[in-house]
Amino acid sequence: MPKLAGRVAVVTGASGALGGAIALGLAREGAAIVAHYSSNREAAEAVAGAIRDLGGRAQSVQGDLTRAEDARRVVDGALETFGGLSILVNNAGITRDTLVLRMKEEDWSAVINTNLSGAFHCIKAALREFLRARSGRIINITSVAGQMGTAGQANYAAAKAGLIGLTKAVAREVASRGITVNAVAPGFIDAGMTLQLPADLVHRYIEQVPLGRAGKPEEVAAAVVFLASDEAAYITGQVINVDGGLVMH
């Protein structure tokens, strides 16, 4: 029996490499998937199609998660299409990298609004269903940038650090209702923006990773699947690093 048979998951930012891997990982364990996207409909539908090809259930849905009403619509889509919601994965995120002195107000706000406020809107929308069911899994995709800081990413690091605080606060608020809230902090993953980096910069990043390589999207997805499963029922308010040892506490 698949670990997540009968469950329904919303994965935000499922059009990206990491979000797509998470959606596929959850689907392989039996979850029905709502694959959210902001602008890349083709990529999100490709993920949903791949899930359907595996014999799973999936649909793609568009939404601007900086708007609370869009977040509610994405969650409502899961309820209307699949009859419930069991898992929320807040993965959607953007970058607007530059040094603080050069950072425009709109670059700061865009990243905070998408990466942090977007997760807040989705959590608030999903909690109505989770509280009614007295169960649920919320998994927030943060980053090592939120733990160690990254030069040129003050907005991104601040949003991801805020997401860790949000994770812990919500975990305390809803634990008595059987809902767990955790975060996964990827390090240098061979996906998304890292694929655009020059080879010499990639090499410098890899040199800092004790395991000596970039991570794979599927390795992050495996941590998400675990936290979504019954095996993780006694884990809440935690941050699991999938970073090759880059950040050690």
Side-chain angles (χ1 to χ4, degrees):
M1 173 74 77
K3 292 179 182 179
L4 304 176
R7 314 283 173 87
V8 179
V10 167
V11 180
T12 70
S15 56
L18 184 54
I22 290 169
L24 279 163
L26 293 167
R28 286 193 178 99
E29 288 297 336
I33 304 296
V34 173
H36 158 267
Y37 67 97
S38 175
S39 57
N40 195 340
R41 181 182 184 278
E42 187 177 346
E45 188 50 42
V47 170
I51 292 169
R52 290 192 288 265
D53 288 345
L54 292 171
R57 297 182 299 157
Q59 73 161 23
S60 62
V61 61
Q62 192 276 337
D64 174 1
L65 301 182
T66 67
R67 297 159 50 91
E69 55 268 35
D70 276 27
R72 285 195 298 271
R73 182 168 52 76
V74 170
V75 168
D76 287 346
L79 301 177
E80 292 163 9
T81 304
F82 299 121
L85 179 64
S86 324
I87 302 156
L88 169 65
V89 182
N90 283 308
N91 167 75
I94 61 170
T95 56
R96 295 287 186 273
D97 296 352
T98 190
L99 298 174
V100 166
L101 282 173
R102 298 175 184 165
M103 188 174 290
K104 297 175 181 176
E105 291 284 343
E106 52 264 36
D107 291 335
W108 171 268
S109 297
V111 171
I112 296 295
N113 289 342
T114 298
N115 299 17
L116 183 55
S117 298
F120 163 73
H121 292 148
C122 289
I123 288 170
K124 192 170 181 181
L127 276 179
R128 291 180 301 171
E129 175 64 15
F130 290 166
L131 289 169
R132 186 195 62 76
R134 298 188 72 86
S135 68
R137 297 279 191 271
I138 298 171
I139 300 143
N140 298 319
I141 307 302
T142 178
S143 168
V144 296
Q147 298 170 313
M148 59 188 285
T150 313
Q153 287 193 314
N155 46 6
Y156 184 78
K160 293 301 190 178
L163 196 53
I164 291 172
L166 179 63
T167 297
K168 293 176 181 288
V170 179
R172 290 188 183 276
E173 289 185 14
V174 300
S176 65
R177 301 295 186 93
I179 303 163
T180 67
V181 189
N182 292 289
V184 173
F188 190 75
I189 305 299
D190 195 12
M193 60 184 173
T194 62
L195 297 176
Q196 315 301 322
L197 296 174
D200 61 327
L201 188 56
V202 170
H203 180 69
R204 289 209 301 274
Y205 277 126
I206 296 298
E207 283 184 328
Q208 300 174 50
V209 179
L211 284 181
R213 67 172 176 85
K216 302 172 185 175
E218 293 77 15
E219 292 173 312
V220 178
V224 174
V225 170
F226 168 68
L227 289 171
S229 74
D230 291 341
E231 295 169 344
Y234 201 56
I235 299 173
T236 197
Q238 304 303 309
V239 182
I240 295 181
N241 280 52
V242 183
D243 65 358
L246 182 59
V247 177
M248 296 192 189
H249 294 289

